[in-house]
Amino acid sequence: MDAEDDWESSSGGVTDTDQFNDEDFYSTSACLSKLQFRSDVSKAKWNVEMGMAEVIEKKGKMWITTGIVRNGKTFCLIEETLFLAEIGALLVMDDNDECLALKDIYKKISEERNGCNWELFEVYKHLKSLGYVVGRHGVPWSIKGVKNNSKPCSSQGTIQNNRVEGAEENGITCTVQMLSNLQVDELRLNFDVYLPNSKFRKSSPGDPAFLLCLVRGSPPANAKSEVLERECGGIPLKICHVDHGRVSFFSFKRVELPILP
């Protein structure tokens, strides 16, 4: 019998009607953020060399599922930083203690550094808006949980992890050079996605509900998809695609074709 991979749409709990559709990302995002009036606004300082924001004042329950913890400090990756800034939950300061405008953070995303681009941010924003817990694949939420995790980290996770640990132990050294080898267009596992969970713990997050890989254009070849599935270690793999702000999710299903007489 012949085996064939079926490129089928699979929301994984996300329906078509729920999908984020943004025709004018800049203006819509800016307008939405201006409408957010919150009393529990946190503060963070953007570190240019690290490519992350160090949280200096935490308010609200969002930090249960947002940010990575290193040596008692919380750091936000670029996608987390922009998402929180857009909903008015985070003020991001620069080295001069001046508040960064949204357009300044948008520019950082558009530079496609630190392993994130516009499409990945839209995927992150879409899932977080639906209540999912989303973390960068290969980047431990907390060092406390690393010892209990026997799964190997991806090269991306190793780079990101070394960046934060290097900042703690030796200051920020060689991180920009390390990240220069990380290509956002590379087909790889991008996010670990967990179901909404009020009891989520960064020190022991457990296995994600599925792993997410962003593709641009056509779906990956069978050989590449099989490599990605092996990297998942038995955790379901979903492929996502972004088209003009519309986020779609797919999964592969192997089917057996009957032998024709």
Side-chain angles (χ1 to χ4, degrees):
M1 294 186 181
D2 295 328
E4 180 178 286
D5 282 327
D6 180 27
W7 178 246
E8 66 171 349
S9 175
S10 174
S11 65
V14 181
T15 63
D16 240 6
T17 55
D18 288 329
Q19 290 177 346
F20 173 69
N21 190 357
D22 188 353
E23 295 180 357
D24 189 344
F25 187 80
Y26 284 94
S27 62
T28 303
S29 298
C31 292
L32 286 175
S33 62
K34 290 179 180 179
L35 296 176
Q36 304 287 332
F37 297 98
R38 307 173 66 104
S39 59
D40 54 346
V41 180
S42 301
K43 293 183 180 180
K45 177 169 289 189
W46 182 257
N47 188 306
V48 177
E49 292 185 84
M50 291 182 68
M52 297 183 189
E54 179 182 346
V55 183
I56 56 179
E57 184 177 339
K58 291 193 292 186
K59 293 184 179 180
K61 297 181 179 180
M62 61 191 178
W63 299 109
I64 296 175
T65 58
T66 305
I68 59 175
V69 180
R70 300 293 186 273
N71 197 26
K73 299 179 181 180
T74 301
F75 297 87
C76 284
L77 301 176
I78 181 63
E79 62 270 20
E80 297 173 317
T81 302
L82 179 53
F83 176 75
L84 293 178
E86 279 197 335
I87 64 174
L90 183 67
L91 291 178
V92 185
M93 319 299 290
D94 61 15
D95 290 334
N96 298 320
D97 290 329
E98 295 181 357
C99 185
L100 290 176
L102 277 177
K103 64 179 182 179
D104 297 323
I105 310 178
Y106 291 148
K107 184 178 179 181
K108 296 180 185 300
I109 289 282
S110 66
E111 292 173 350
E112 299 194 348
R113 297 177 181 176
N114 310 306
C116 188
N117 55 22
W118 279 116
E119 288 91 342
L120 284 171
F121 170 70
E122 290 182 279
V123 172
Y124 177 86
K125 177 178 180 177
H126 176 68
L127 291 171
K128 287 289 288 185
S129 298
L130 294 175
Y132 287 89
V133 180
V134 186
R136 187 80 71 88
H137 178 71
V139 181
W141 293 91
S142 171
I143 296 299
K144 292 181 180 179
V146 173
K147 294 181 180 179
N148 298 324
N149 185 3
S150 59
K151 296 180 181 179
C153 293
S154 64
S155 59
Q156 176 198 6
T158 302
I159 292 173
Q160 291 277 7
N161 195 37
N162 287 341
R163 295 170 66 204
V164 181
E165 291 180 352
E168 293 175 358
E169 299 173 1
N170 306 313
I172 303 171
T173 57
C174 301
T175 55
V176 174
Q177 182 178 357
M178 294 169 66
L179 283 175
S180 64
N181 296 324
L182 183 60
Q183 302 297 322
V184 295
D185 290 331
E186 179 185 358
L187 189 64
R188 54 187 168 82
L189 298 175
N190 301 112
F191 292 121
D192 297 344
V193 184
Y194 301 79
L195 297 177
N197 181 5
S198 60
K199 297 181 180 180
F200 180 85
R201 295 179 60 189
K202 293 179 181 178
S203 59
S204 55
D207 289 334
F210 58 91
L211 302 181
L212 207 58
C213 172
L214 174 72
V215 296
R216 290 176 168 179
S218 302
N222 287 350
K224 184 58 179 178
S225 64
E226 290 175 356
V227 171
L228 289 173
E229 288 179 345
R230 286 195 295 270
E231 292 179 4
C232 291
I235 298 174
L237 168 67
K238 291 191 181 296
I239 307 296
C240 61
H241 180 263
V242 180
D243 184 20
H244 298 290
R246 183 179 178 86
V247 181
S248 301
F249 299 87
F250 305 88
S251 62
F252 287 103
K253 180 180 179 181
R254 185 170 293 277
V255 298
E256 297 291 337
L257 299 178
I259 300 177
L260 300 178

